[in-house]
Each structure stands twice: as structure tokens, then as C-alpha cells.
Amino acid sequence: MNEGATDFRLNAPPSVTMRTVADFRSELREACGSHSSILLDIGGVTEADLSFVQVVYAARSQMDSLGGPLKLACPAAAGAPIATLLQRAGFTTNPADIDFWFHGELPQ
């Protein structure tokens, strides 16, 4: 069975900061309540802060408790805002974080 066939795809907005996170949080929360598997596309994010990371972690926790995954459509790419943020904030040492955000391989 192809797991990707049943994933609900959600595109993160270009800017997810403390000023703009509310709409993204609401959209992600609604998706968590309505779908059994979510594929989050972060490829178009050009600006993010720790509020983005917090919302994604909360959604992952919610999906875990509901028995479904929250996955990234593509890993955080080297030099991209999300990868840079994660590196600065120290999310590159935990294997579970590396698996989720970078699909198992830290960007060089």
C-alpha cells in the first residue's frame, strides 16, 4: 500500500513568524482533526521563527496521539530558512529531530 496516497497535503505559508503564525496554526490544527495522515510542504517557507517549530511540534504530538503521522514533503534544505533556524536553535543533535526535519541526513 502506498502511504502517500492517503496523505493530506498542506503547504506552509511563505512567512511563519510570531506575527503570522495564528492562521498557520489554525489551518494545521484543523487538518490534524480532519485527516489521518498529513504531509506538510515547507519548501516555500522564506521566513520563520521558533513559533513555526513550536506549532509543527504540537501538531506532530497531536497526530501521534491520534495514531497518524505528520510528515514533511521534503527535508529542510541546506541554507533554507527552516534548516538555518533549526541549526541555530539546536535541533540538529537529536536523532528523532534529524529524521523528521532532515529525513535522516543533516544538510552540508
Side-chain angles (χ1 to χ4, degrees):
M1 180 172 146
N2 182 356
E3 290 181 15
T6 60
D7 292 337
F8 173 75
R9 188 178 190 98
L10 177 65
N11 295 319
S15 177
V16 187
T17 65
M18 286 184 68
R19 283 179 260 124
T20 62
V21 74
D23 289 340
F24 175 61
R25 181 186 66 230
S26 295
E27 190 175 4
L28 191 51
R29 185 182 310 167
E30 183 179 320
C32 289
S34 303
H35 301 282
S36 61
S37 180
I38 299 172
L39 189 62
L40 180 61
D41 189 336
I42 62 170
V45 176
T46 58
E47 178 183 35
D49 62 20
L50 285 177
S51 63
F52 171 80
V53 176
Q54 290 172 325
V55 166
V56 172
Y57 268 92
R60 283 176 65 198
S61 178
Q62 182 177 354
M63 289 303 291
D64 283 346
S65 70
L66 295 172
L70 171 71
K71 302 175 281 189
L72 296 181
C74 59
I82 301 296
T84 301
L85 170 65
L86 293 166
Q87 289 168 336
R88 281 194 327 245
F91 289 94
T92 58
T93 58
N94 181 324
D97 289 334
I98 293 169
D99 284 345
F100 178 75
W101 292 106
F102 303 103
H103 292 188
E105 291 201 30
L106 286 174
Q108 299 300 318

